[in-house]
Amino acid sequence: MARETRQRILDCSLAMFNTQGEPNVTTNHIADELEISPGNLYYHFRNKDDIIEQLFGGYEQRIDTALGAPPDRLPNLEDIWLQLHLVFECIWDYRFLYRDLVDILSRNRRLRIRFARILKRADDSAHQVMRGLTQGGVMRASATELDAAATNILVIATFWLNYAAVRGEKDEQAAIRAGIVQVMMLLAPFLRDAERVHLNQLTRAYLD
C-alpha cells in the first residue's frame, strides 16, 4: 500500500508539473489533488525537491535508453529518426524539466551534475552516430563540422520546447515533431545527394 501511494504521488506530481509548471505546484496542491493529507505525502517524500529528484531518476533511465545506438552495425537515417523520436518523447513526458530547466538546476546541485552527465552522454551519442554515418558513406563532414553539428543538435533538443513556447505555439506535440525535423535538417548539408533526397521524403511524409 505504501509503495502504491508513493507511485501515485509521483504520477500525480509529474502530471501537475507538466500541465501547470513546476513552480506553480506545491506539495499541498499535490496532496489536495490526491485527496490525502500533507502529512501522508511527507511520509513518502521530504519536500517537493525530493519528488523532483525521484522523477528525475525516471527521466534519466528513459533518456539513457533512448540514446543507445545500434550495437552491431553502422547507423542509418532511419536509426537517427527513431532515436530522435525516443528522445523527444522522453522530453515530452518530462517536459516540466525542460520548461523550467535553469530554475530547477540552479537550486539543486545534485541534479545539475546529473543533467551535465546526460548532456555529455548525449554529446557522445551524437558524435558516435555521425561518425557512423560518415564511415558508412552516408554523409561527408570534417571533424570540426561534426563537433559543431553535435552541439547544435544538443542545443535544439534541450531548448526547443522553450523556443516553441516563446513563439506562442499551443500544440506542443506538433512543436516536438517540428523539433525532430529541425534536428534532422542539420544533417542535410552533409548528406550525399541520394540520402538528401531520402531525408526530404521522410520529412514530407512526417509533416503531412
Side-chain angles (χ1 to χ4, degrees):
M1 185 66 178
R3 181 177 297 179
E4 180 181 330
T5 300
R6 179 182 174 85
Q7 190 59 49
R8 286 180 62 226
I9 293 171
L10 289 174
D11 292 343
C12 181
S13 300
L14 179 59
M16 293 181 73
F17 291 163
N18 280 341
T19 56
Q20 301 177 34
E22 179 270 329
N24 302 317
V25 178
T26 67
T27 50
N28 283 342
H29 292 145
I30 297 167
D32 287 344
E33 182 69 19
L34 288 169
E35 298 183 342
I36 63 176
S37 69
N40 193 352
L41 186 147
Y42 290 129
Y43 173 79
H44 298 279
F45 299 99
R46 297 185 304 276
N47 48 43
K48 189 169 76 166
D49 280 347
D50 191 15
I51 295 174
I52 292 172
E53 285 200 36
Q54 293 301 313
L55 291 174
F56 194 91
Y59 158 77
E60 276 182 311
Q61 292 180 353
R62 281 277 302 279
I63 203 72
D64 192 58
T65 300
L67 290 172
D72 302 320
R73 59 178 174 80
L74 294 174
N76 55 42
L77 286 181
E78 283 80 4
D79 292 323
I80 299 176
W81 204 275
L82 174 60
Q83 186 177 63
L84 286 172
H85 267 284
L86 294 175
V87 168
F88 272 86
E89 282 175 2
C90 180
I91 290 173
W92 168 257
D93 289 343
Y94 292 89
R95 56 195 178 276
F96 82 92
L97 287 172
Y98 285 82
R99 282 209 205 102
D100 303 301
L101 184 63
V102 174
D103 179 59
I104 291 172
L105 298 186
S106 68
R107 67 175 192 254
N108 192 316
R109 182 175 178 274
R110 289 188 300 275
L111 292 190
R112 189 162 64 248
I113 292 172
R114 288 163 69 182
F115 194 81
R117 289 173 182 159
I118 289 172
L119 286 181
K120 177 64 167 59
R121 169 82 199 285
D123 182 68
D124 291 343
S125 176
H127 276 85
Q128 180 182 354
V129 167
M130 287 189 291
R131 280 195 299 267
L133 291 176
T134 302
Q135 292 168 12
V138 174
M139 61 184 280
R140 184 184 299 112
S142 68
T144 301
E145 290 169 335
L146 287 179
D147 286 342
T151 297
N152 289 340
I153 287 171
L154 291 184
V155 170
I156 288 177
T158 302
F159 295 104
W160 184 258
L161 282 183
N162 291 335
Y163 171 73
V166 171
R167 280 173 52 104
E169 300 285 351
K170 301 301 182 184
D171 186 343
E172 284 188 304
Q173 295 209 44
I176 283 176
R177 290 196 297 273
I180 293 172
V181 170
Q182 190 72 23
V183 170
M184 290 297 292
M185 294 307 292
L186 289 173
L187 304 179
F190 307 115
L191 297 177
R192 299 181 310 179
D193 289 344
E195 296 297 339
R196 189 179 299 181
V197 170
H198 183 39
L199 174 59
N200 288 331
Q201 290 171 341
L202 287 173
T203 300
R204 284 196 300 271
Y206 187 68
L207 293 178
D208 286 345

